[in-house]
Short mmCIF file of all heavy atoms in Angstrom, two decimals:
data_model
loop_
_atom_site.label_atom_id
_atom_site.label_comp_id
_atom_site.label_asym_id
_atom_site.label_seq_id
_atom_site.Cartn_x
_atom_site.Cartn_y
_atom_site.Cartn_z
N MET A 270 -28.47 -68.52 12.83
CA MET A 270 -27.68 -67.41 12.24
C MET A 270 -28.65 -66.24 12.20
O MET A 270 -29.78 -66.32 11.61
CB MET A 270 -27.09 -67.74 10.96
CG MET A 270 -26.32 -66.70 10.39
SD MET A 270 -25.53 -67.17 8.76
CE MET A 270 -24.37 -68.38 9.34
N THR A 271 -28.20 -65.14 12.78
CA THR A 271 -28.94 -63.90 12.72
C THR A 271 -28.87 -63.18 11.36
O THR A 271 -28.10 -63.46 10.52
CB THR A 271 -28.62 -62.83 13.77
OG1 THR A 271 -27.21 -62.47 13.47
CG2 THR A 271 -28.63 -63.58 15.07
N SER A 272 -29.74 -62.17 11.14
CA SER A 272 -29.74 -61.51 9.82
C SER A 272 -28.45 -60.66 9.79
O SER A 272 -27.98 -60.50 8.64
CB SER A 272 -30.90 -60.52 9.73
OG SER A 272 -30.99 -59.60 10.82
N SER A 273 -27.88 -60.20 10.84
CA SER A 273 -26.67 -59.47 10.81
C SER A 273 -25.50 -60.47 10.48
O SER A 273 -24.63 -59.98 9.79
CB SER A 273 -26.34 -58.72 12.21
OG SER A 273 -26.19 -59.80 13.19
N ASP A 274 -25.60 -61.64 10.87
CA ASP A 274 -24.53 -62.51 10.49
C ASP A 274 -24.50 -62.84 8.95
O ASP A 274 -23.46 -62.94 8.31
CB ASP A 274 -24.61 -63.90 11.19
CG ASP A 274 -24.40 -63.83 12.70
OD1 ASP A 274 -23.53 -62.99 13.09
OD2 ASP A 274 -25.03 -64.60 13.35
N ILE A 275 -25.78 -62.92 8.33
CA ILE A 275 -25.85 -63.15 6.90
C ILE A 275 -25.37 -61.92 6.14
O ILE A 275 -24.54 -62.00 5.26
CB ILE A 275 -27.40 -63.37 6.60
CG1 ILE A 275 -27.78 -64.68 7.18
CG2 ILE A 275 -27.57 -63.42 5.05
CD1 ILE A 275 -29.34 -65.01 6.97
N ALA A 276 -25.62 -60.67 6.72
CA ALA A 276 -25.07 -59.56 6.08
C ALA A 276 -23.61 -59.43 6.06
O ALA A 276 -23.06 -58.97 5.15
CB ALA A 276 -25.71 -58.26 6.70
N LEU A 277 -22.97 -59.97 7.09
CA LEU A 277 -21.58 -59.91 7.16
C LEU A 277 -20.91 -60.83 6.12
O LEU A 277 -19.86 -60.56 5.55
CB LEU A 277 -21.05 -60.28 8.53
CG LEU A 277 -21.23 -59.15 9.62
CD1 LEU A 277 -20.93 -59.81 11.06
CD2 LEU A 277 -20.45 -58.09 9.37
N GLU A 278 -21.66 -61.88 5.89
CA GLU A 278 -21.04 -62.87 4.87
C GLU A 278 -21.40 -62.55 3.49
O GLU A 278 -20.81 -62.98 2.46
CB GLU A 278 -21.68 -64.23 5.13
CG GLU A 278 -21.10 -64.88 6.50
CD GLU A 278 -21.58 -66.26 6.75
OE1 GLU A 278 -22.22 -66.84 5.84
OE2 GLU A 278 -21.21 -66.95 7.76
N ALA A 279 -22.45 -61.67 3.28
CA ALA A 279 -22.72 -61.37 1.99
C ALA A 279 -22.16 -60.10 1.54
O ALA A 279 -22.50 -58.98 1.89
CB ALA A 279 -24.32 -61.14 1.83
N GLY A 280 -21.10 -60.18 0.66
CA GLY A 280 -20.41 -59.01 0.19
C GLY A 280 -20.95 -58.53 -1.06
O GLY A 280 -22.16 -58.89 -1.50
N ARG A 343 -25.81 -56.11 -4.76
CA ARG A 343 -25.34 -55.79 -3.45
C ARG A 343 -24.07 -54.92 -3.52
O ARG A 343 -23.18 -55.35 -4.22
CB ARG A 343 -24.99 -56.97 -2.46
CG ARG A 343 -26.26 -57.76 -2.17
CD ARG A 343 -25.89 -58.85 -1.00
NE ARG A 343 -24.83 -59.67 -1.37
CZ ARG A 343 -24.91 -60.84 -1.94
NH1 ARG A 343 -26.15 -61.32 -2.29
NH2 ARG A 343 -23.95 -61.62 -2.26
N HIS A 370 -18.64 -61.46 -3.88
CA HIS A 370 -17.66 -61.58 -2.81
C HIS A 370 -18.23 -62.53 -1.80
O HIS A 370 -19.30 -62.20 -1.17
CB HIS A 370 -17.32 -60.25 -2.16
CG HIS A 370 -16.33 -60.34 -1.01
ND1 HIS A 370 -16.35 -59.33 -0.05
CD2 HIS A 370 -15.37 -61.17 -0.76
CE1 HIS A 370 -15.41 -59.67 0.84
NE2 HIS A 370 -14.91 -60.76 0.46
N VAL A 371 -17.57 -63.70 -1.57
CA VAL A 371 -17.95 -64.59 -0.60
C VAL A 371 -17.02 -64.32 0.69
O VAL A 371 -15.94 -64.87 0.74
CB VAL A 371 -17.79 -66.10 -1.07
CG1 VAL A 371 -18.26 -67.04 0.02
CG2 VAL A 371 -18.45 -66.33 -2.41
N ALA A 372 -17.59 -63.51 1.56
CA ALA A 372 -16.77 -62.98 2.67
C ALA A 372 -16.35 -64.14 3.57
O ALA A 372 -15.14 -64.11 4.05
CB ALA A 372 -17.49 -61.96 3.48
N SER A 373 -17.19 -65.07 3.84
CA SER A 373 -16.83 -66.28 4.80
C SER A 373 -15.69 -67.02 4.24
O SER A 373 -14.90 -67.63 4.95
CB SER A 373 -18.02 -67.09 4.99
OG SER A 373 -18.37 -67.65 3.69
N GLU A 374 -15.47 -67.09 2.87
CA GLU A 374 -14.34 -67.78 2.24
C GLU A 374 -13.12 -66.87 1.97
O GLU A 374 -12.16 -67.37 1.42
CB GLU A 374 -14.87 -68.48 1.00
CG GLU A 374 -15.86 -69.45 1.30
CD GLU A 374 -16.31 -70.20 -0.02
OE1 GLU A 374 -15.68 -69.98 -0.96
OE2 GLU A 374 -17.49 -70.81 0.00
#
Side-chain angles (χ1 to χ4, degrees):
M270 181 177 290
T271 66
S272 59
S273 61
D274 292 331
I275 295 173
L277 286 172
E278 290 189 0
R343 291 193 303 270
H370 179 205
V371 186
S373 60
E374 299 178 13

